[in-house]
Amino acid sequence: MHSTETQAQGVPKWWHTATGYQIYPRSFCDSNSDGIGDIPGIISKLDHLRDLGIGFIWLSPVYASPMADNGYDISDYMAIAPEYGTHADFDRLVAEAKARGIGIVMDLVVNHSSAVHHWFQAARAATDDPVHDYYVWRDPAPDGGPPSQQRACFGGSAWHFVPEIGKYYLGFFSAEQPDLNWQNPHLRREIYDMMNWWLDKGIAGFRMDVISLIGKDVDAGIFEEGPFLHEYLQEMHRETLAGRDVVTVGESWAVSPETALLYCGRDRQELDMVFQFNHIVEGWDPVHGKWKPRPFDLVAFKRVLNDWQTALADDGWNSLFLSNHDLPRQVSRYGDDGVYRVQSAKMLATVIHMMKGTPFVYQGEEIGMTNVRFTHIDQFRDIETLGHYADAIADGVAPDDFIAGANTNGRDNARTPMQWSADTQAGFTTGTPWIEVNPNHSDINVAADRSDPDGLFDYYQQLIALRKTHAVIVHGQYQPYAKDDPSVVAFTRVLEQEKLVVVANFTGAQLQFHVPDGLTCKGQSLLSNYGPRDALSGIVTLEPFEAFVIAS
Ligand code: TEU
Ligand code: CA
């Protein structure tokens, strides 16, 4: 079975066994006391990542940018933001990371540029400039208003008026992020040349920001997974990626188990994996979205994850994560950031890392960093939070209610500075940080966690190491159990004679678990967050947030 499965999923790739680690540069480590994380700061912490055992860093954008969206608004695709460093610093990062067995995966943000990119400056100045067509322009509606009622992701209309030329441009995220017109072949050529330039520097691949938007058909009102998407991704592959041993991870909020293989199926020549959010969005309110999360529903959550494991069982590849720079801290959202913080964080990590796919650890997750509790809107920095706050207040929402939602699910939770130590400003900076550090850094920090043998870092190290030594974690067939159990996640992974049994109590209560037939086993404990377990049968008592893996 091993050989057919490997064959089905193509040649074994380095990124099948590697674990990714996402760095949000602004918040990782500040080397020069300006309160902003930077590339020399990242270099100074590479040993921490080597010790963790990761195979690549997904580096959120470090390009030149006015930072309206912290770098997801690029003004020069071939320049490094001065506050983050220089090209020499970047080259040193690639080399120093490589010396530790770590690749650098760059963030490719090409659905839109910054409004201060020189292309856009020229495009908005004259309709007869060839570069004008690099962006999406439409005439006003007959009443002079915007061409459609489309809202921007970060609040307000998605259409922005330029009086000098009498046209509206599309900024699907915000006015500061004008959408690039992928239908223009010269624009596509410029993007491919730019990608090749970075690839030739020896980077390990690209994470592609909102890539499912590039095939949009604006006049038909189709933004996600539009009619040109796969044609462009195939062209991009031909022009940049073909023949290179790199990894590509496509972010998509729209991809479903039904469409995933169109991006990453073995016959497609597009991307290696999709980074999808079905399991995240499942927990949002159907009307109010992320600002009003639904009570956590484990059965629905498992159904989504199981569907993805099944859909990509023999072809394509999953990315596995609960956190990133746009999401709340996972221990606060899905675990318990109080008394069971460490146990529940280990439990969540066990479930994610034992599934089939490439796991991603978001900075600070490896020490169980939590959400923040801001009390005033002035403490928030995120363009999305501030834009939606303005919309909410205009709709009559009470500020405190909005802030409660933002503290629960807002993006700044993930963006407070990395907590390195109990020192002032958590050892992130000796200056004033651009966003406040979480006051709990006195207890939750790298120095404290790493000196604790029962800490989270040690546990993540084990999870990441196991993936390298146990082919069953990488390639084994996934079989879910206890699908309707509202408290427990249980599954097996099977590869030839090897079998892993994974069980996790997702609640803070002790409970009795009736072991389903397929999970009954006798073997050795591979990992656990309480005492070791080496057998399972009948009815077992699970401790609060207990998780374990048995090899049988
Ligand atoms: O995110 C895509 C995206 O759709 C998010 O804005 C998402 O809707 C939101 O975070 C949910 O709360 C990517 C980047 O990851 C994000 O940081 C950028 O702001 C966005 O694209 C625009 O580039
Ligand atoms: Ca700095």
Side-chain angles (χ1 to χ4, degrees):
M1 186 198 254
H2 182 43
S3 58
T4 48
E5 247 180 21
T6 315
Q7 194 186 16
Q9 240 137 13
V11 193
K13 299 283 192 183
W14 61 269
W15 43 264
H16 286 151
T17 34
T19 297
Y21 184 94
Q22 186 192 352
I23 290 184
Y24 197 67
R26 205 167 190 78
S27 304
F28 193 63
C29 180
D30 173 23
S31 72
N32 63 349
S33 308
D34 65 355
I36 297 171
D38 46 54
I39 295 173
I42 297 172
I43 296 171
S44 74
K45 299 297 187 185
L46 284 173
D47 286 347
H48 173 73
L49 303 181
R50 178 207 50 209
D51 295 350
L52 189 56
I54 58 143
F56 64 96
I57 291 169
W58 153 19
L59 185 62
S60 275
V62 291
Y63 314 89
S65 165
M67 304 287 170
D69 189 11
N70 292 345
Y72 286 92
D73 50 325
I74 298 171
S75 54
D76 184 344
Y77 287 96
M78 277 145 75
I80 300 288
E83 65 218 282
Y84 292 161
T86 62
H87 270 303
D89 293 327
F90 180 81
D91 293 343
R92 199 156 56 87
L93 172 63
V94 172
E96 292 279 342
K98 192 170 180 197
R100 292 165 177 80
I102 298 172
I104 300 291
V105 170
M106 293 290 274
D107 212 315
L108 184 75
V109 190
V110 289
N111 172 68
H112 45 269
S113 74
S114 159
V116 307
H117 193 290
H118 71 85
W119 291 339
F120 189 73
Q121 290 302 308
R124 62 170 293 150
T127 53
D128 59 358
D129 191 306
V131 155
H132 178 77
D133 189 50
Y134 280 17
Y135 293 88
V136 180
W137 300 97
R138 292 292 181 270
D139 290 327
D143 69 352
S148 80
Q149 297 310 305
Q150 180 67 42
R151 305 288 293 170
C153 290
F154 299 151
S157 171
W159 294 103
H160 314 280
F161 192 55
V162 178
E164 293 86 338
I165 55 171
K167 287 184 183 291
Y168 282 88
Y169 67 89
L170 177 70
F172 185 76
F173 284 91
S174 73
E176 289 84 6
Q177 295 161 296
D179 282 59
L180 289 163
N181 176 21
W182 272 74
Q183 294 182 32
N184 183 305
H186 302 290
L187 168 80
R188 300 205 299 278
R189 185 73 254 160
E190 298 229 37
I191 290 173
Y192 303 150
D193 289 347
M194 176 273 287
M195 290 173 68
N196 282 321
W197 185 82
W198 285 104
L199 288 164
D200 290 343
K201 277 177 168 289
I203 64 168
F206 288 111
R207 173 268 183 183
M208 302 186 186
D209 192 63
V210 288
I211 203 65
S212 52
L213 286 171
I214 65 172
K216 61 177 82 76
D217 181 347
V218 173
D219 298 320
I222 302 171
F223 291 87
E224 284 283 6
E225 301 192 315
F228 312 106
L229 172 62
H230 295 290
E231 174 191 329
Y232 296 155
L233 284 175
Q234 282 167 21
E235 181 184 73
M236 176 193 283
H237 188 278
R238 255 191 335 268
E239 298 296 326
T240 67
L241 302 162
R244 302 191 193 251
D245 189 16
V246 295
V247 67
T248 51
V249 185
E251 185 203 26
S252 174
W253 287 75
V255 62
S256 64
E258 288 72 42
T259 60
L261 288 174
L262 296 176
Y263 301 74
C264 63
R266 64 178 161 278
D267 299 331
R268 297 292 294 179
Q269 306 288 323
E270 294 188 18
L271 302 175
D272 294 322
M273 61 183 107
V274 285
F275 200 89
Q276 65 79 23
F277 296 86
N278 296 184
H279 58 301
I280 305 283
V281 173
E282 202 291 316
W284 292 2
D285 184 85
V287 178
H288 303 280
K290 64 189 280 182
W291 306 112
K292 202 173 163 200
R294 302 191 218 194
F296 184 63
D297 175 351
L298 185 69
V299 172
F301 181 78
K302 284 191 288 191
R303 193 185 311 124
V304 176
L305 290 174
N306 291 341
D307 285 352
W308 276 89
Q309 289 288 307
T310 306
L312 304 187
D314 303 316
D315 191 11
W317 195 253
N318 269 297
S319 52
L320 307 169
F321 69 95
L322 293 174
S323 301
N324 76 5
H325 66 295
D326 294 332
L327 302 174
R329 290 285 176 178
Q330 67 191 49
V331 69
S332 299
R333 177 73 181 100
Y334 306 100
D336 172 6
D337 61 12
V339 33
Y340 292 118
R341 184 182 67 87
V342 172
Q343 298 306 52
S344 66
K346 288 179 180 175
M347 181 280 290
L348 295 171
T350 309
V351 170
I352 289 298
H353 284 249
M354 287 299 139
M355 288 190 172
K356 184 169 181 179
T358 297
F360 287 77
V361 178
Y362 180 69
Q363 66 184 39
E365 179 191 326
E366 77 278 25
I367 56 161
M369 279 177 60
T370 70
N371 278 358
V372 76
R373 293 267 171 277
F374 286 152
T375 53
H376 197 274
I377 193 66
D378 291 349
Q379 293 172 289
F380 292 89
R381 296 287 176 272
D382 169 33
I383 184 174
E384 179 186 59
T385 305
L386 299 177
H388 287 207
Y389 179 77
D391 282 358
I393 297 304
D395 288 347
V397 174
D400 284 351
D401 289 347
F402 183 87
I403 286 170
N407 279 332
T408 306
N409 241 347
R411 307 200 300 182
D412 279 337
N413 284 304
R415 301 176 181 187
T416 62
M418 180 73 182
Q419 294 163 206
W420 294 105
S421 70
D423 295 347
T424 328
Q425 311 302 4
F428 162 72
T429 182
T430 52
T432 305
W434 69 277
I435 185 171
E436 289 174 36
V437 302
N438 194 320
N440 68 17
H441 72 269
S442 46
D443 298 320
I444 304 171
N445 61 69
V446 170
D449 189 89
R450 287 195 61 170
S451 62
D452 177 0
D454 290 327
L456 275 162
F457 187 86
D458 183 88
Y459 196 86
Y460 269 88
Q461 271 181 323
Q462 294 183 56
L463 280 169
I464 292 168
L466 284 171
R467 174 169 292 270
K468 297 179 196 164
T469 50
H470 289 65
V472 62
I473 300 175
V474 181
H475 297 291
Q477 205 193 358
Y478 175 90
Q479 176 69 48
Y481 289 90
K483 290 185 197 169
D484 297 323
D485 189 312
S487 312
V488 177
V489 169
F491 56 87
T492 57
R493 302 289 310 279
V494 176
L495 185 68
E496 294 169 345
Q497 302 313 309
E498 277 184 275
K499 178 173 179 178
L500 299 183
V501 173
V502 181
V503 175
N505 176 0
F506 249 77
T507 77
Q510 196 185 60
L511 46 87
Q512 307 297 311
F513 178 57
H514 294 248
V515 178
D517 278 350
L519 287 186
T520 302
C521 65
K522 228 178 154 82
Q524 316 161 347
S525 166
L526 207 58
L527 196 66
S528 61
N529 63 349
Y530 283 82
R533 292 220 189 226
D534 55 15
L536 213 51
S537 68
I539 299 177
V540 293
T541 302
L542 299 179
E543 297 302 324
F545 296 109
E546 180 171 0
F548 53 85
V549 185
I550 300 172
S552 72

